[in-house]
Amino acid sequence: MFGKDVESFALQFEEAAEKTVRGTAIKLWNSITLSSPVDQGRFRANWFASYGDTSKVTNATDKSGQKTISRNESDVLGQADYSQFTLTNNLPYSLRLEYGYSDQAPNGMVRTNVKRFNRLIEQEAKRNMPK
């Protein structure tokens, strides 16, 4: 009986850890996408959840960012291995936008949102920990 209780307890924490990692990635990436500057929407559409292959580029546009957010959420939730996620934007001008080229995001998108990472992961951990 004790062994089954310990196993159940361990599984609860494993599930909580997975939900925390996935939820944090989604929240962080949503914020990066929505804080990205918008002209035609191509830059927002080029944020991709990646798992080794980081060479995606699209000519699609997404001014609101909602299609990109939905795609990346599906990718994060559908990926079997949740231990490592990468968000990429391979447009040639992405570094310029990150480092002050845009009046819409003078402090960048990634740097400003990554500063919130610890707070996001703490919030997700509290939300997902077994009661």
Side-chain angles (χ1 to χ4, degrees):
M1 178 115 162
F2 178 73
K4 288 195 183 273
D5 289 343
V6 171
E7 184 179 333
S8 173
F9 186 73
L11 285 174
Q12 288 177 358
F13 274 94
E14 184 177 322
E15 289 173 11
E18 178 178 345
K19 287 179 182 178
T20 298
V21 170
R22 290 183 195 273
T24 302
I26 288 169
K27 284 184 176 180
L28 180 63
W29 295 355
N30 289 353
S31 294
I32 290 170
T33 300
L34 294 176
S35 63
S36 294
V38 177
D39 182 15
Q40 299 299 313
R42 185 168 181 230
F43 186 71
R44 278 192 178 174
N46 272 277
W47 286 112
F48 287 97
S50 303
Y51 313 97
D53 179 17
T54 60
S55 62
K56 294 180 183 176
V57 173
T58 181
N59 287 322
T61 60
D62 183 12
K63 283 189 175 186
S64 73
Q66 294 308 306
K67 289 184 272 185
T68 304
I69 286 171
S70 292
R71 181 190 68 227
N72 285 330
E73 283 181 9
S74 293
D75 287 349
V76 168
L77 295 174
Q79 182 67 18
D81 180 8
Y82 69 91
S83 65
Q84 181 177 341
F85 295 111
T86 304
L87 183 67
T88 59
N89 190 317
N90 286 321
L91 289 178
Y93 53 88
S94 60
L95 281 175
R96 286 188 292 165
L97 291 178
E98 178 63 29
Y99 289 97
Y101 185 76
S102 171
D103 290 337
Q104 294 178 33
N107 297 315
M109 303 74 55
V110 177
R111 292 173 298 145
T112 57
N113 284 290
V114 166
K115 289 178 184 176
R116 301 174 45 239
F117 178 79
N118 286 339
R119 186 174 65 220
L120 288 173
I121 201 163
E122 287 173 8
Q123 290 170 349
E124 284 296 301
K126 284 179 186 175
R127 190 168 70 86
N128 292 308
M129 282 299 151
K131 306 297 183 238

